[in-house]
């Protein structure tokens, strides 16, 4: 199924498309969505700060709940654990849809969408159709996974030799380590036979290894890394 969002000055829209149905829903304007989007984006990646500060955690949950109701609320009863293709423009590209909640009606339990559904992100529905047509006859590679996770970003990372570590302002500006991405990667690798997987963790999770790994032979590719969004 496809969730295709469009942002507007006066009104935004959600087009919900399945193989045999098409529905349109009105959403708030881009200006009204922006505060919650900005707040969730700001707090989503800083989980350490949220662990230390209950106020930040509460602010994160409020923004996530608000966006969950607005962006998923109109179709929440139809998702039913299915694969979802999400096309989200503008500031919605910065929202981690997998972290949006399917909120229980009675117990207020927050179930992340990424737990119940497989999510595919695209910037254009038409580009997706073009890709399907272009690669429709391609033979799928055998089941296997290439995993790149827990790379070394921070010049003060303890995995670096002491004489290679940076101190002060250089270290402060670096991206922080994603320690749980290694646990996640190892759990994923454990689902596949060793001969059908590629493990690139820590120093091995590099751009150079990515391009020489022959990842076209793997059906699944997992990146447990930071991402930088190009606003252009």
């Amino acid at each position: 199924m496809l969730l295709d969002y469009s942002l507007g000055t006066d009104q935004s829209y959600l087009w919900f498309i399945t193989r045999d149905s098409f529905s349109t829903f009105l959403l708030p304007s881009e200006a009204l969505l922006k505060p919650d989007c900005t707040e969730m984006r700001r707090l989503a990646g800083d989980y350490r700060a949220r662990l230390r500060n209950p106020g930040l955690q509460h602010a994160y949950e409020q923004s996530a709940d608000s966006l969950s109701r607005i962006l998923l609320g109109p179709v929440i009863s139809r998702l039913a654990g299915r694969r979802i293709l999400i096309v989200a423009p503008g500031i919605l590209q910065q929202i981690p849809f997998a972290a949006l909640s399917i909120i229980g009606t009675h117990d207020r339990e927050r179930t992340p969408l990424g737990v119940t559904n497989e999510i595919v992100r695209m910037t254009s529905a038409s580009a997706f159709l073009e890709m399907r047509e272009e690669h429709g006859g391609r033979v799928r590679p055998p089941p296997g996974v290439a995993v790149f996770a827990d790379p070394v970003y921070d010049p003060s990372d303890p995995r670096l030799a002491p004489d290679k570590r940076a101190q002060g302002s250089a270290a402060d500006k670096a991206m922080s380590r994603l320690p749980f991405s290694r646990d996640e990667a190892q759990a994923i690798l454990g689902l596949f036979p060793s001969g059908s997987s590629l493990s690139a963790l820590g120093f091995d999770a590099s751009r150079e290894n990515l391009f020489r790994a022959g990842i076209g032979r793997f059906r699944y590719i997992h990146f447990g890394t930071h991402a930088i969004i190009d606003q252009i």
Side-chain angles (χ1 to χ4, degrees):
M1 59 180 61
L2 169 65
L3 301 183
D4 194 346
Y5 295 89
S6 176
L7 298 175
T9 303
D10 301 315
Q11 196 83 55
S12 298
Y13 301 89
L14 164 61
W15 290 286
F16 179 76
I17 304 171
T18 67
R19 292 183 182 273
D20 54 9
S21 68
F22 180 94
S23 304
T24 304
F25 302 92
L26 297 179
L27 302 178
S29 68
E30 181 176 10
L32 292 177
L33 289 170
K34 187 173 182 178
D36 280 330
C37 290
T38 302
E39 186 74 345
M40 186 176 185
R41 174 181 176 272
R42 181 179 71 87
L43 296 172
D46 200 356
Y47 60 89
R48 291 186 180 88
R50 290 190 279 116
L51 287 174
R52 294 190 298 265
N53 188 331
L56 292 180
Q57 178 63 24
H58 179 67
Y60 170 77
E61 291 176 355
Q62 280 192 316
S63 61
D65 286 354
S66 176
L67 289 173
S68 298
R69 293 188 184 94
I70 294 170
L71 301 177
L72 300 180
V75 297
I76 200 68
S77 62
R78 307 193 209 180
L79 300 182
R82 297 173 62 182
R83 179 186 295 176
I84 305 172
L85 172 62
I86 296 176
V87 175
I91 196 168
L92 295 184
Q93 292 183 12
Q94 304 176 21
I95 297 304
F97 273 81
L100 295 184
S101 303
I102 301 174
I103 302 173
T105 55
H106 301 294
D107 57 9
R108 300 286 297 164
E109 179 182 355
R110 294 176 175 84
T111 304
L113 187 66
V115 172
T116 59
N117 295 74
E118 180 182 349
I119 299 173
V120 180
R121 299 288 297 267
M122 293 286 290
T123 56
S124 167
S126 58
F128 171 72
L129 293 175
E130 289 285 342
M131 291 171 62
R132 290 196 70 172
E133 290 182 6
E134 181 179 349
H135 300 291
R138 186 180 63 179
V139 178
R140 296 184 72 189
V145 63
V147 176
F148 294 80
D150 194 20
V152 178
Y153 300 104
D154 189 345
S156 64
D157 193 302
R159 290 174 291 180
L160 289 166
D163 61 334
K164 301 291 185 181
R165 295 177 200 165
Q167 303 293 331
S169 60
D172 294 339
K173 295 177 181 178
M175 292 181 176
S176 59
R177 183 182 179 183
L178 299 172
F180 298 114
S181 67
R182 178 175 288 265
D183 296 337
E184 177 186 55
Q186 290 172 336
I188 292 171
L189 289 166
L191 300 174
F192 295 83
S194 58
S196 65
S197 62
L198 169 68
S199 173
L201 309 180
F203 291 103
D204 292 333
S206 66
R207 186 175 186 272
E208 292 75 15
N209 284 338
L210 171 64
F211 283 106
R212 64 170 172 247
I215 58 175
R217 60 193 171 96
F218 297 100
R219 185 176 299 182
Y220 306 102
I221 304 171
H222 172 80
F223 295 99
T225 69
H226 285 292
I228 298 175
I229 298 175
D230 187 343
Q231 298 293 343
I232 298 176

